[in-house]
Amino acid sequence: MVTPVAAFAALADETRWAVLQALGAEDLSASALAARLPVTRQAVAKHLAVLEGAGLVESYTAGRERRYRALGAELTALGRQLEGIGKAWDARLARLSRLAQDLDR
């Protein structure tokens, strides 16, 4: 399972975020990613290693190249955790709003 701290640390970099977005559409090699981004293939490989280490991306061999894919289930789980935090804050703010309305009466 992806830990939120590792995931957000990995995604704090704009290039890694762009890499993950590109991998959301299709599995790509580091070379194909580098062709789409303003960084070198070597830089993309380093970013992919960070994303893979965080558990957001996995790699596999397809013919003679190494391809990468975003791990949708892990990203969905992370999104659910964030959604839970958002709902908790919404509930707190709603209670606070009710308290403020009660004080106005």
Side-chain angles (χ1 to χ4, degrees), residues 60-76:
Y60 63 95
T61 303
R64 294 180 53 190
E65 67 182 2
R66 193 111 192 111
R67 297 179 69 84
Y68 296 84
R69 75 169 61 105
L71 295 175
E74 299 297 338
L75 292 164
T76 298

Side-chain angles (χ1 to χ4, degrees), residues 6-7 19 21 32 47 59 66 73 82 88-89 93-96 98-99 101-102:
V19 166
Q21 285 181 308
H47 287 298
S59 62
R66 193 111 192 111
L82 288 172
W89 272 105
L93 292 172
R95 284 193 304 271
L96 184 60
R98 285 191 301 273
L99 284 171
Q101 289 173 359
D102 289 346

Side-chain angles (χ1 to χ4, degrees), residues 7-89:
F8 288 118
L11 295 174
D13 181 274
E14 289 183 36
T15 300
R16 285 193 287 272
W17 182 254
V19 166
L20 190 62
Q21 285 181 308
L23 292 175
E26 61 184 309
D27 298 358
L28 296 166
S29 67
S31 296
L33 284 162
R36 296 176 181 203
L37 300 168
V39 294
T40 65
R41 188 210 156 304
Q42 291 80 9
V44 167
K46 289 179 183 181
H47 287 298
L48 285 165
V50 172
L51 290 168
E52 195 165 16
L56 299 173
V57 167
E58 70 180 358
S59 62
Y60 63 95
T61 303
R64 294 180 53 190
E65 67 182 2
R66 193 111 192 111
R67 297 179 69 84
Y68 296 84
R69 75 169 61 105
L71 295 175
E74 299 297 338
L75 292 164
T76 298
L78 185 61
R80 285 190 184 122
Q81 289 177 343
L82 288 172
E83 186 177 358
I85 292 168
K87 285 180 180 180
W89 272 105

